[in-house]
Structure formats: C-alpha cells, structure tokens
Amino acid sequence: MVAPRSAIVVGAGIVGLSTAWFLQERGVSVRVFDRVGVAAGASFGNAGWIAPALSVPLNDPRMLRSALRSLPNRNGPVRIPPSIDPTLWRFLIRFTANCRESSWTRAVRANLTLNHECMGAYDELVAGGVDAPITDAPITALFRTSADAEHLLDQLRRLADAGQPSSTTELTGGALREQVPLASSAVTFGVRINDQRFVDPGKFVQALGRSIVERGAELRTDDVADVRPFAGGVVVQPRGGSAVAADVAVIATGAWLPGLVRRWVWVPVQAGRGYSFSVPVDRPVLGPIYLPDVRVACTPLNGKLRVTSIMELRRPDAPPSAPVFDAIIDSASRFFDGVRWAERDEMWVGPRPLSPDGRPLVGQVCGRVFVAGGHGMWGMKQGPVTGRLLAEQITTGNQPPGLRGFDPLR
C-alpha cells in the first residue's frame, strides 16, 4: 500500500486523537470528526489512571464469579438491567464463553506491548507539545484485613506469571496512615502498587485536541453516518454535510463503534458505563486510591477526590441512573474519614467500549478502513500507544507485533 497523505479519524476521544497525532508525526494530513466534540465519551470523567500493573482483562473467570455474586446487591459494582436486547445477550454469551483461564491469559499476553509502552507514548505526546501534566504516583489499595488483600495479590501474581510484573509494598499501621491519611479506622492493611501514573483525563484529551489543531488538523463536530472504501481511498459521509474523501479512515468511536463497522466486524462491542463524581476532602490525598472489594477507584484532581465505579451494561446514550451515585457512596464511605460526601458534584456517566475476550479491536477491516476501539476500562492508558502503533501500520503497511492479537476480524 502506498503511504497515505490524508486521513479522516472518526472519534475525538483519547484513541482517535492519539491516532491522529501520531499520523501527523508521520506526515499525514488529518481531519477529525466527532458527533459531540473532544472527550465527549468515556475519555472525560474516568479515573485517569495510567496503571499498567493493574490492567486486568475483564474476562477473568474469578472476577466473573465475584460479579455474578454481586448482581443481587443493589450496591454491587456490576449492573445488568433486565433486557431483551439481543445485542446485549450476544455479548454476554461470548463474554461468558471467554471467561476461561486460557482466554484470560491470552488477553494478558496480547496486551503486554500496550501496557509496557503506554508511558513512553504519553511521554512522546508531552514532549511533542501536548500541554497537560502527567503525575507519577503509586496507587494504594485499601483493605479491612490482610486476608481481604489475598485476591488482589493473587491477581498480581497471575499477571506476573503471564509476563506483566509489578512492584508492590504492603502497608500497615503508621506507614498505611502516612500513605493514605483519608483511610478510616476500619482499614488495617494496604498494598501500594509502585511506579504508576495518573492524569486529569478530560484536560489531557482536550490538550491533545488543541495540539492536533495547532499542527494543522481540522476538527469537525458532526455525526458520521457512513464510511465507504473505494479503489483509491475512502469516503466519509457526515450527517450534516457533503461527503469527504481521504486516502484512509480510522474509526475510533468507542462504545458507538458497531454503528459504523458492523458490516465488517463480528466481534461485539458493548457499552460498560462507568459513573464518577467529585467530593471535597479534609485531609491530603497523596495519590490514587483503589478499593478492590467494592471496585471503586479514586483520584486526586483539582483539589478534590474523583470517585469512579460501576460497570453498567446499558445503551451508551441512556440517561444516568441517579441512585447509582448513592450506591457508590454506600460502598466506599466505610473506607474513608474526612470525605464530605454530601457535597459531591461533577456527576458523570460515560460508556467504556468492552470486547468479549479482553482484547481491543485495532487494525485494518476493509481496503483503507481501519478500526481502533474496544479497550474497555483501559482506553485512557492504552490510547496513546494504540495510536502510535496504528499510525505505524497505516503509513508503512506493516502490522507492528504489538497489534497482532487485536485483529478486528477475528
């Protein structure tokens, strides 16, 4: 394939904009379309963790058993509303079939390159002019007893056995209180996962959008109705204007991916909606805090604590469920002292694009049409390195080894 000179990227989240940025690095002229605008989906209100050590594919058979047990619990972290939606059931059937140790290990190994190189890709963006801070900080997991920590420690050992090592420090007593001043008296044990990072996800993605525009990209707010390949390239049809042609197209629309790619891609992508809000705190927060027992992630942002949780399998554009915010507080509050829960604000819900086998969908689907999505909970971490590797494939015609496990046509 002749190296392209022009590209259209559909989707202005972290994955789409990273792909656009790295295509620009390789001399490609870029236009970006998004139905709402920059960081309008899952890229805005997530926890912002760049945490390779905790990148656990969701199709973990042990996690499945825990999730099934939590379904009757109104405060549980997994929510599957009663539905006759055949798309949801197809996803659940394939997801359950992939909840085997062999499939989970395959997903871990397929993701190794994305996890090992994610920080380097962020460094390239910042060095190249993306004006947003990245903070180095450990993530500290809190537990009521040391026995409660065994599940996480076992998970980290299994990840290490599959090629994804991590560095941890066990904390008790004064060391635990020093690391997490917000920890309540009910917390007696902590595991510090070292050498991780976090960002303010909305600010970072908005800075990335500004950077690609400053480097010459056109960024249009318009819903794309169709993408069609032809012998010399692609045609993109926005709903609000005339068709636009380019040498290649990249579809990176997150949980809305099936709407444009279902004619080629048979792997279902399901919206796994996450909720977040921010609360004031009365004590210092030195870094992200993880509550594995209730699946809550907390991040210090803008002088507050962003609290993120829930995996809700609903339509990506369904309205938020107000009781979910109360359920998150009910689950998390016993782990903390000094959090002003009643003053919560910045309530948000966003759809994370889940694949049924724990592997993203990244690569060529037809002619000069490429897909990038299905990263699940780890799009913020894996987005920049995905964009870098996909830009390499698009401009050289050679698939990087790090993308071989993500064939969208599998």
Side-chain angles (χ1 to χ4, degrees):
M1 183 176 79
V2 177
R5 292 177 296 177
S6 61
I8 294 173
V9 176
V10 186
I14 185 64
V15 177
L17 292 179
S18 294
T19 305
W21 197 93
F22 282 105
L23 283 170
Q24 289 178 315
E25 283 289 276
R26 291 174 170 269
V28 179
S29 174
V30 177
R31 296 180 181 180
V32 179
F33 287 77
D34 192 275
R35 56 193 286 273
V36 178
V38 171
S43 292
F44 184 79
N46 62 76
W49 292 4
I50 309 171
L54 290 172
S55 300
V56 183
L58 284 178
N59 60 318
D60 184 345
R62 306 180 196 190
M63 192 179 296
L64 174 65
R65 291 191 291 271
S66 174
L68 290 175
R69 287 194 298 269
S70 77
L71 283 176
N73 180 2
R74 63 176 293 273
N75 290 345
V78 178
R79 294 178 174 232
I80 306 177
S83 173
I84 58 172
D85 179 3
T87 302
L88 173 59
W89 284 104
R90 279 196 297 270
F91 173 83
L92 289 173
I93 290 168
R94 288 191 62 169
F95 175 76
T96 303
N98 278 284
C99 284
R100 306 187 310 274
E101 195 72 22
S102 59
S103 296
W104 181 82
T105 301
R106 181 179 182 184
V108 173
R109 290 174 176 163
N111 280 279
L112 288 178
T113 296
L114 299 188
N115 294 334
H116 290 163
E117 299 183 10
C118 64
M119 293 188 181
Y122 266 96
D123 290 339
E124 285 188 56
L125 292 175
V126 172
V130 177
D131 186 17
I134 302 172
T135 304
D136 293 294
I139 295 171
T140 306
L142 300 182
F143 303 92
R144 285 169 291 182
T145 69
S146 59
D148 292 341
E150 279 307 308
H151 174 74
L152 175 65
L153 294 172
D154 177 64
Q155 198 170 61
L156 294 175
R157 285 190 290 266
R158 291 165 61 218
L159 288 170
D161 290 343
Q164 187 175 302
S166 58
S167 166
T168 62
T169 305
E170 296 182 5
L171 302 172
T172 58
L176 174 58
R177 307 295 156 190
E178 182 178 353
Q179 181 66 42
V180 187
L182 282 176
S184 73
S185 59
V187 174
T188 67
F189 193 79
V191 177
R192 189 177 66 206
I193 300 103
N194 302 311
D195 307 318
Q196 309 301 294
R197 290 177 168 182
F198 70 92
V199 297
D200 183 322
K203 289 183 178 179
F204 192 94
V205 178
Q206 288 162 355
L208 180 56
R210 290 193 299 271
S211 179
I212 69 164
V213 171
E214 290 166 359
R215 289 151 55 105
E218 178 187 2
L219 206 162
R220 287 177 53 178
T221 301
D222 205 339
D223 193 11
V224 170
D226 193 23
V227 177
R228 303 187 302 273
F230 68 93
V234 295
V235 171
V236 171
Q237 179 62 63
R239 295 189 191 279
S242 303
V244 181
D247 293 335
V248 296
V250 178
I251 304 173
T253 50
W256 289 269
L257 197 66
L260 289 176
V261 305
R262 61 168 53 96
R263 78 191 82 170
W264 305 298
V265 177
W266 292 89
V267 179
V269 174
Q270 170 65 41
R273 292 161 24 115
Y275 286 69
S276 75
F277 56 89
S278 295
V279 283
V281 292
D282 297 330
R283 301 176 190 172
V285 184
L286 305 182
I289 303 167
Y290 181 32
L291 309 178
D293 289 349
V294 292
R295 300 287 190 271
V296 171
C298 304
T299 310
L301 293 175
N302 305 314
K304 295 184 178 181
L305 191 69
R306 175 173 291 177
V307 182
T308 310
S309 186
I310 301 298
M311 179 63 71
E312 183 183 57
L313 304 187
R314 296 183 66 191
R315 298 190 332 269
D317 53 356
S321 175
V324 169
F325 296 105
D326 292 327
I328 296 171
I329 291 174
D330 287 344
S331 297
S333 58
R334 63 182 178 269
F335 291 89
F336 293 117
D337 284 332
V339 175
R340 304 205 294 271
W341 299 105
E343 299 176 42
R344 72 179 185 227
D345 61 5
E346 300 176 338
M347 277 83 78
W348 173 89
V349 60
R352 298 164 294 202
L354 310 178
S355 75
D357 58 8
R359 291 180 281 146
L361 288 70
V362 185
Q364 190 172 17
V365 293
C366 180
R368 293 189 169 210
V369 179
F370 295 79
V371 163
H375 294 79
M377 299 170 64
W378 304 114
M380 197 67 210
K381 174 185 60 100
Q382 295 178 339
V385 65
T386 295
R388 186 179 70 186
L389 294 173
L390 185 57
E392 177 185 337
Q393 179 176 352
I394 291 170
T395 55
T396 67
N398 299 316
Q399 183 186 54
L403 295 183
R404 286 177 186 164
F406 306 139
D407 184 0
L409 305 180
R410 60 183 181 270

